[in-house]
Amino acid sequence: MSTAKFFGALAFMLLVAGTSLAETDTRQSVTSQGIGIARGGVGDGALSSDEFEVLVTEGSRDKTARAAVQQKPGSVSQSPNTEFWFYDADVQLFSDFDRDGYFYGIDLLFDADTIYTAADVYAVLYLSYEYGPWNEYAETEVFTIFGTSSNDEYIVETELVSGYPTGSYDILIELFDAYDDTFVASIGPDELSGLALLPLEDSARDAPASSGSTQVVVNSGGGGSFSWLLLLALLAVRMTLRPQAARLSK
């Protein structure tokens, strides 16, 4: 087989492998969370590495999976819960190394209040890609809110590692009573414009352009077969070029 045909076939194999992985790749992320942690990047607080199913991009986003479970088919919608509510939420995006305007870091702060002196709760966070269905991307630990105090603001910082295509995302926060897992409050783009149209992508798509040199990065997480093919390709190039270099040196 000629050198041109060999590299053509090899390029096709790499393209097919990469496309297959992109279509079936699960979503991976790293999250830190807590009350009073430093903002601006994943670091302080409880740290976790999370994996979710493939991002759902088509269909209705009227309800999340968890909210739908609590409402029986054919039942009348429950009255709004007036015992819990969100006072505010704030989003800061970080990490855009290729400077294309799309970030892979989400710094989310929210303040939930209650009529009670204290209540144990937890929150579930969702992303909607291009106004598609809600996809869970993080869940907090159980934490305590104290009436209408502002000293119990909760922070969740997440780095999207893989499975999140470049585009506009909305964020939804749902609050649950830790005692019986009852859904008690939510806040999203309909209530707060700051949770809408966030330019995001995963870190695998945030590749800064090289300056003056070519760099090959092999990512072993979630793409084993493709990484092995890439290594074989580099080895094949090395084995092909070495005899040519030897002949030229004579």
Side-chain angles (χ1 to χ4, degrees):
M1 179 184 292
S2 67
T3 302
K5 289 184 178 179
F6 170 78
F7 284 116
L10 185 59
F12 177 77
M13 290 170 59
L14 292 172
L15 179 60
V16 171
T19 302
S20 176
L21 285 171
E23 292 176 349
T24 61
D25 195 17
T26 56
R27 292 178 291 131
Q28 298 179 341
S29 58
V30 178
T31 293
S32 64
Q33 57 177 284
I35 295 177
I37 68 175
R39 304 188 69 185
V42 173
D44 295 342
L47 187 66
S48 65
S49 179
D50 304 305
E51 183 172 349
F52 298 93
E53 295 181 353
V54 178
L55 186 75
V56 180
T57 60
E58 297 181 355
S60 172
R61 73 172 192 179
D62 293 340
K63 298 177 183 177
T64 66
R66 297 204 185 192
V69 168
Q70 295 196 15
Q71 184 173 353
K72 297 179 180 179
S75 63
V76 179
S77 298
Q78 298 179 353
S79 300
N81 190 305
T82 57
E83 300 173 348
F84 296 85
W85 63 92
F86 282 94
Y87 175 75
D88 195 14
D90 175 68
V91 178
Q92 297 177 7
L93 304 181
F94 61 93
S95 295
D96 175 24
F97 293 107
D98 59 7
R99 299 181 180 181
D100 63 352
Y102 291 90
F103 301 79
Y104 66 83
I106 306 172
D107 186 327
L108 177 64
L109 177 149
F110 58 87
D111 181 13
D113 292 334
T114 179
I115 64 172
Y116 302 109
T117 302
D120 292 334
V121 297
Y122 66 92
V124 181
L125 315 180
Y126 305 85
L127 285 171
S128 168
Y129 173 71
E130 303 289 354
Y131 207 76
W134 293 113
N135 293 261
E136 179 179 339
Y137 82 90
E139 179 179 338
T140 72
E141 297 182 332
V142 174
F143 62 98
T144 304
I145 56 177
F146 300 93
T148 58
S149 172
S150 60
N151 295 325
D152 53 10
E153 294 177 332
Y154 204 85
I155 298 173
V156 183
E157 296 179 330
T158 302
E159 289 185 354
L160 307 176
V161 177
S162 65
Y164 293 90
T166 303
S168 295
Y169 290 78
D170 296 346
I171 288 181
L172 173 68
I173 312 171
E174 288 188 337
L175 193 69
F176 294 84
D177 188 339
Y179 175 73
D180 57 4
D181 296 322
T182 301
F183 167 71
V184 294
S186 66
I187 187 171
D190 293 339
E191 294 79 26
L192 190 64
S193 61
L195 298 178
L197 302 176
L198 302 172
L200 295 171
E201 64 184 0
D202 57 46
S203 61
R205 293 174 169 82
D206 187 70
S210 59
S211 56
S213 62
T214 301
Q215 182 179 10
V216 178
V217 178
V218 179
N219 184 1
S220 60
S225 60
F226 182 65
S227 299
W228 280 110
L229 284 174
L230 184 56
L231 288 173
L232 289 175
L234 294 175
L235 181 61
V237 171
R238 182 179 179 86
M239 294 178 64
T240 303
L241 295 179
R242 284 185 62 184
Q244 294 180 357
R247 288 195 296 270
L248 292 175
S249 63
K250 293 181 179 179

PDB file of all heavy atoms in Angstrom, residues 184-209:
ATOM      1  N   VAL A 184     -39.885  21.541  46.832  1.00  0.00           N
ATOM      2  CA  VAL A 184     -40.451  22.691  47.542  1.00  0.00           C
ATOM      3  C   VAL A 184     -40.284  24.023  46.810  1.00  0.00           C
ATOM      4  O   VAL A 184     -41.049  24.960  47.060  1.00  0.00           O
ATOM      5  CB  VAL A 184     -39.858  22.813  48.958  1.00  0.00           C
ATOM      6  CG1 VAL A 184     -40.282  21.631  49.821  1.00  0.00           C
ATOM      7  CG2 VAL A 184     -38.330  22.930  48.911  1.00  0.00           C
ATOM      8  N   ALA A 185     -39.305  24.155  45.921  1.00  0.00           N
ATOM      9  CA  ALA A 185     -39.108  25.446  45.241  1.00  0.00           C
ATOM     10  C   ALA A 185     -38.180  25.270  44.050  1.00  0.00           C
ATOM     11  O   ALA A 185     -37.420  24.291  43.970  1.00  0.00           O
ATOM     12  CB  ALA A 185     -38.537  26.484  46.202  1.00  0.00           C
ATOM     13  N   SER A 186     -38.241  26.217  43.129  1.00  0.00           N
ATOM     14  CA  SER A 186     -37.352  26.190  41.969  1.00  0.00           C
ATOM     15  C   SER A 186     -37.119  27.606  41.465  1.00  0.00           C
ATOM     16  O   SER A 186     -37.912  28.522  41.727  1.00  0.00           O
ATOM     17  CB  SER A 186     -37.929  25.331  40.836  1.00  0.00           C
ATOM     18  OG  SER A 186     -39.105  25.915  40.311  1.00  0.00           O
ATOM     19  N   ILE A 187     -36.021  27.772  40.750  1.00  0.00           N
ATOM     20  CA  ILE A 187     -35.729  29.043  40.091  1.00  0.00           C
ATOM     21  C   ILE A 187     -34.975  28.726  38.808  1.00  0.00           C
ATOM     22  O   ILE A 187     -34.092  27.859  38.783  1.00  0.00           O
ATOM     23  CB  ILE A 187     -34.917  29.988  41.007  1.00  0.00           C
ATOM     24  CG1 ILE A 187     -34.772  31.366  40.362  1.00  0.00           C
ATOM     25  CG2 ILE A 187     -33.561  29.400  41.351  1.00  0.00           C
ATOM     26  CD1 ILE A 187     -34.187  32.420  41.290  1.00  0.00           C
ATOM     27  N   GLY A 188     -35.354  29.392  37.729  1.00  0.00           N
ATOM     28  CA  GLY A 188     -34.750  29.127  36.433  1.00  0.00           C
ATOM     29  C   GLY A 188     -34.787  30.358  35.552  1.00  0.00           C
ATOM     30  O   GLY A 188     -34.994  31.481  36.028  1.00  0.00           O
ATOM     31  N   PRO A 189     -34.611  30.168  34.241  1.00  0.00           N
ATOM     32  CA  PRO A 189     -34.560  31.308  33.312  1.00  0.00           C
ATOM     33  C   PRO A 189     -35.861  32.089  33.238  1.00  0.00           C
ATOM     34  O   PRO A 189     -35.835  33.275  32.895  1.00  0.00           O
ATOM     35  CB  PRO A 189     -34.236  30.641  31.971  1.00  0.00           C
ATOM     36  CG  PRO A 189     -34.681  29.220  32.127  1.00  0.00           C
ATOM     37  CD  PRO A 189     -34.427  28.879  33.555  1.00  0.00           C
ATOM     38  N   ASP A 190     -36.993  31.466  33.559  1.00  0.00           N
ATOM     39  CA  ASP A 190     -38.263  32.191  33.533  1.00  0.00           C
ATOM     40  C   ASP A 190     -38.352  33.202  34.676  1.00  0.00           C
ATOM     41  O   ASP A 190     -39.050  34.220  34.559  1.00  0.00           O
ATOM     42  CB  ASP A 190     -39.442  31.213  33.622  1.00  0.00           C
ATOM     43  CG  ASP A 190     -39.556  30.337  32.386  1.00  0.00           C
ATOM     44  OD1 ASP A 190     -39.026  30.731  31.340  1.00  0.00           O
ATOM     45  OD2 ASP A 190     -40.162  29.249  32.483  1.00  0.00           O
ATOM     46  N   GLU A 191     -37.673  32.917  35.772  1.00  0.00           N
ATOM     47  CA  GLU A 191     -37.698  33.814  36.927  1.00  0.00           C
ATOM     48  C   GLU A 191     -36.500  34.760  36.973  1.00  0.00           C
ATOM     49  O   GLU A 191     -36.585  35.844  37.539  1.00  0.00           O
ATOM     50  CB  GLU A 191     -37.729  33.009  38.231  1.00  0.00           C
ATOM     51  CG  GLU A 191     -38.991  32.193  38.459  1.00  0.00           C
ATOM     52  CD  GLU A 191     -39.010  30.902  37.668  1.00  0.00           C
ATOM     53  OE1 GLU A 191     -37.915  30.385  37.345  1.00  0.00           O
ATOM     54  OE2 GLU A 191     -40.113  30.410  37.357  1.00  0.00           O
ATOM     55  N   LEU A 192     -35.375  34.331  36.386  1.00  0.00           N
ATOM     56  CA  LEU A 192     -34.145  35.117  36.475  1.00  0.00           C
ATOM     57  C   LEU A 192     -33.387  35.028  35.158  1.00  0.00           C
ATOM     58  O   LEU A 192     -32.945  33.951  34.766  1.00  0.00           O
ATOM     59  CB  LEU A 192     -33.282  34.592  37.626  1.00  0.00           C
ATOM     60  CG  LEU A 192     -32.073  35.420  38.032  1.00  0.00           C
ATOM     61  CD1 LEU A 192     -32.509  36.777  38.579  1.00  0.00           C
ATOM     62  CD2 LEU A 192     -31.259  34.672  39.082  1.00  0.00           C
ATOM     63  N   SER A 193     -33.247  36.166  34.472  1.00  0.00           N
ATOM     64  CA  SER A 193     -32.604  36.165  33.152  1.00  0.00           C
ATOM     65  C   SER A 193     -31.138  35.776  33.222  1.00  0.00           C
ATOM     66  O   SER A 193     -30.558  35.312  32.236  1.00  0.00           O
ATOM     67  CB  SER A 193     -32.734  37.554  32.510  1.00  0.00           C
ATOM     68  OG  SER A 193     -32.101  38.545  33.309  1.00  0.00           O
ATOM     69  N   GLY A 194     -30.515  35.938  34.393  1.00  0.00           N
ATOM     70  CA  GLY A 194     -29.110  35.580  34.535  1.00  0.00           C
ATOM     71  C   GLY A 194     -28.849  34.092  34.429  1.00  0.00           C
ATOM     72  O   GLY A 194     -27.693  33.669  34.294  1.00  0.00           O
ATOM     73  N   LEU A 195     -29.910  33.278  34.479  1.00  0.00           N
ATOM     74  CA  LEU A 195     -29.764  31.828  34.348  1.00  0.00           C
ATOM     75  C   LEU A 195     -30.016  31.355  32.917  1.00  0.00           C
ATOM     76  O   LEU A 195     -30.108  30.152  32.676  1.00  0.00           O
ATOM     77  CB  LEU A 195     -30.731  31.120  35.301  1.00  0.00           C
ATOM     78  CG  LEU A 195     -30.532  31.391  36.798  1.00  0.00           C
ATOM     79  CD1 LEU A 195     -31.590  30.666  37.619  1.00  0.00           C
ATOM     80  CD2 LEU A 195     -29.133  30.988  37.243  1.00  0.00           C
ATOM     81  N   ALA A 196     -30.132  32.287  31.990  1.00  0.00           N
ATOM     82  CA  ALA A 196     -30.460  31.947  30.598  1.00  0.00           C
ATOM     83  C   ALA A 196     -29.315  32.295  29.648  1.00  0.00           C
ATOM     84  O   ALA A 196     -28.508  33.195  29.912  1.00  0.00           O
ATOM     85  CB  ALA A 196     -31.728  32.666  30.174  1.00  0.00           C
ATOM     86  N   LEU A 197     -29.262  31.559  28.547  1.00  0.00           N
ATOM     87  CA  LEU A 197     -28.362  31.837  27.433  1.00  0.00           C
ATOM     88  C   LEU A 197     -26.902  31.941  27.865  1.00  0.00           C
ATOM     89  O   LEU A 197     -26.200  32.903  27.552  1.00  0.00           O
ATOM     90  CB  LEU A 197     -28.795  33.124  26.715  1.00  0.00           C
ATOM     91  CG  LEU A 197     -30.219  33.132  26.165  1.00  0.00           C
ATOM     92  CD1 LEU A 197     -30.548  34.492  25.558  1.00  0.00           C
ATOM     93  CD2 LEU A 197     -30.397  32.028  25.130  1.00  0.00           C
ATOM     94  N   LEU A 198     -26.452  30.925  28.572  1.00  0.00           N
ATOM     95  CA  LEU A 198     -25.069  30.889  29.038  1.00  0.00           C
ATOM     96  C   LEU A 198     -24.196  30.184  28.002  1.00  0.00           C
ATOM     97  O   LEU A 198     -24.482  29.052  27.613  1.00  0.00           O
ATOM     98  CB  LEU A 198     -24.985  30.148  30.376  1.00  0.00           C
ATOM     99  CG  LEU A 198     -25.837  30.737  31.508  1.00  0.00           C
ATOM    100  CD1 LEU A 198     -25.816  29.813  32.712  1.00  0.00           C
ATOM    101  CD2 LEU A 198     -25.359  32.119  31.877  1.00  0.00           C
ATOM    102  N   PRO A 199     -23.130  30.824  27.524  1.00  0.00           N
ATOM    103  CA  PRO A 199     -22.258  30.215  26.511  1.00  0.00           C
ATOM    104  C   PRO A 199     -21.325  29.189  27.140  1.00  0.00           C
ATOM    105  O   PRO A 199     -20.367  29.528  27.824  1.00  0.00           O
ATOM    106  CB  PRO A 199     -21.475  31.416  25.960  1.00  0.00           C
ATOM    107  CG  PRO A 199     -21.432  32.389  27.108  1.00  0.00           C
ATOM    108  CD  PRO A 199     -22.714  32.195  27.868  1.00  0.00           C
ATOM    109  N   LEU A 200     -21.605  27.905  26.891  1.00  0.00           N
ATOM    110  CA  LEU A 200     -20.853  26.835  27.539  1.00  0.00           C
ATOM    111  C   LEU A 200     -20.378  25.786  26.535  1.00  0.00           C
ATOM    112  O   LEU A 200     -20.946  25.645  25.446  1.00  0.00           O
ATOM    113  CB  LEU A 200     -21.715  26.151  28.606  1.00  0.00           C
ATOM    114  CG  LEU A 200     -22.145  26.989  29.814  1.00  0.00           C
ATOM    115  CD1 LEU A 200     -23.175  26.225  30.644  1.00  0.00           C
ATOM    116  CD2 LEU A 200     -20.944  27.364  30.662  1.00  0.00           C
ATOM    117  N   GLU A 201     -19.374  25.039  26.935  1.00  0.00           N
ATOM    118  CA  GLU A 201     -18.891  23.864  26.236  1.00  0.00           C
ATOM    119  C   GLU A 201     -18.037  23.081  27.211  1.00  0.00           C
ATOM    120  O   GLU A 201     -17.669  23.590  28.275  1.00  0.00           O
ATOM    121  CB  GLU A 201     -18.068  24.247  25.004  1.00  0.00           C
ATOM    122  CG  GLU A 201     -16.779  25.000  25.323  1.00  0.00           C
ATOM    123  CD  GLU A 201     -16.025  25.447  24.079  1.00  0.00           C
ATOM    124  OE1 GLU A 201     -16.516  25.171  22.969  1.00  0.00           O
ATOM    125  OE2 GLU A 201     -14.948  26.063  24.218  1.00  0.00           O
ATOM    126  N   ASP A 202     -17.737  21.825  26.898  1.00  0.00           N
ATOM    127  CA  ASP A 202     -16.889  21.058  27.806  1.00  0.00           C
ATOM    128  C   ASP A 202     -15.418  21.378  27.554  1.00  0.00           C
ATOM    129  O   ASP A 202     -15.049  21.971  26.540  1.00  0.00           O
ATOM    130  CB  ASP A 202     -17.174  19.561  27.702  1.00  0.00           C
ATOM    131  CG  ASP A 202     -17.003  19.019  26.291  1.00  0.00           C
ATOM    132  OD1 ASP A 202     -15.990  19.340  25.645  1.00  0.00           O
ATOM    133  OD2 ASP A 202     -17.893  18.276  25.821  1.00  0.00           O
ATOM    134  N   SER A 203     -14.577  20.990  28.511  1.00  0.00           N
ATOM    135  CA  SER A 203     -13.151  21.319  28.423  1.00  0.00           C
ATOM    136  C   SER A 203     -12.470  20.617  27.249  1.00  0.00           C
ATOM    137  O   SER A 203     -11.443  21.095  26.754  1.00  0.00           O
ATOM    138  CB  SER A 203     -12.448  20.944  29.732  1.00  0.00           C
ATOM    139  OG  SER A 203     -12.557  19.555  29.994  1.00  0.00           O
ATOM    140  N   ALA A 204     -13.036  19.486  26.790  1.00  0.00           N
ATOM    141  CA  ALA A 204     -12.454  18.797  25.642  1.00  0.00           C
ATOM    142  C   ALA A 204     -12.551  19.635  24.372  1.00  0.00           C
ATOM    143  O   ALA A 204     -11.764  19.461  23.440  1.00  0.00           O
ATOM    144  CB  ALA A 204     -13.148  17.456  25.434  1.00  0.00           C
ATOM    145  N   ARG A 205     -13.522  20.538  24.333  1.00  0.00           N
ATOM    146  CA  ARG A 205     -13.696  21.417  23.168  1.00  0.00           C
ATOM    147  C   ARG A 205     -13.001  22.761  23.346  1.00  0.00           C
ATOM    148  O   ARG A 205     -13.015  23.589  22.456  1.00  0.00           O
ATOM    149  CB  ARG A 205     -15.197  21.640  22.906  1.00  0.00           C
ATOM    150  CG  ARG A 205     -15.933  20.394  22.447  1.00  0.00           C
ATOM    151  CD  ARG A 205     -17.431  20.641  22.354  1.00  0.00           C
ATOM    152  NE  ARG A 205     -18.139  19.564  21.693  1.00  0.00           N
ATOM    153  CZ  ARG A 205     -18.527  18.427  22.267  1.00  0.00           C
ATOM    154  NH1 ARG A 205     -18.285  18.241  23.549  1.00  0.00           N
ATOM    155  NH2 ARG A 205     -19.153  17.486  21.597  1.00  0.00           N
ATOM    156  N   ASP A 206     -12.407  22.985  24.501  1.00  0.00           N
ATOM    157  CA  ASP A 206     -11.721  24.238  24.784  1.00  0.00           C
ATOM    158  C   ASP A 206     -10.229  24.034  24.582  1.00  0.00           C
ATOM    159  O   ASP A 206      -9.484  23.834  25.529  1.00  0.00           O
ATOM    160  CB  ASP A 206     -12.015  24.693  26.217  1.00  0.00           C
ATOM    161  CG  ASP A 206     -11.463  26.076  26.502  1.00  0.00           C
ATOM    162  OD1 ASP A 206     -12.003  27.044  25.957  1.00  0.00           O
ATOM    163  OD2 ASP A 206     -10.488  26.181  27.273  1.00  0.00           O
ATOM    164  N   ALA A 207      -9.813  24.040  23.319  1.00  0.00           N
ATOM    165  CA  ALA A 207      -8.418  23.775  22.983  1.00  0.00           C
ATOM    166  C   ALA A 207      -7.759  25.055  22.502  1.00  0.00           C
ATOM    167  O   ALA A 207      -8.046  25.532  21.405  1.00  0.00           O
ATOM    168  CB  ALA A 207      -8.333  22.705  21.899  1.00  0.00           C
ATOM    169  N   PRO A 208      -6.869  25.649  23.294  1.00  0.00           N
ATOM    170  CA  PRO A 208      -6.201  26.878  22.871  1.00  0.00           C
ATOM    171  C   PRO A 208      -5.314  26.644  21.666  1.00  0.00           C
ATOM    172  O   PRO A 208      -4.657  25.601  21.550  1.00  0.00           O
ATOM    173  CB  PRO A 208      -5.379  27.283  24.099  1.00  0.00           C
ATOM    174  CG  PRO A 208      -5.179  26.003  24.859  1.00  0.00           C
ATOM    175  CD  PRO A 208      -6.430  25.210  24.621  1.00  0.00           C
ATOM    176  N   ALA A 209      -5.308  27.586  20.737  1.00  0.00           N
ATOM    177  CA  ALA A 209      -4.487  27.469  19.529  1.00  0.00           C
ATOM    178  C   ALA A 209      -3.024  27.532  19.905  1.00  0.00           C
ATOM    179  O   ALA A 209      -2.597  28.347  20.722  1.00  0.00           O
ATOM    180  CB  ALA A 209      -4.840  28.595  18.546  1.00  0.00           C
TER     181      ALA A 209
END
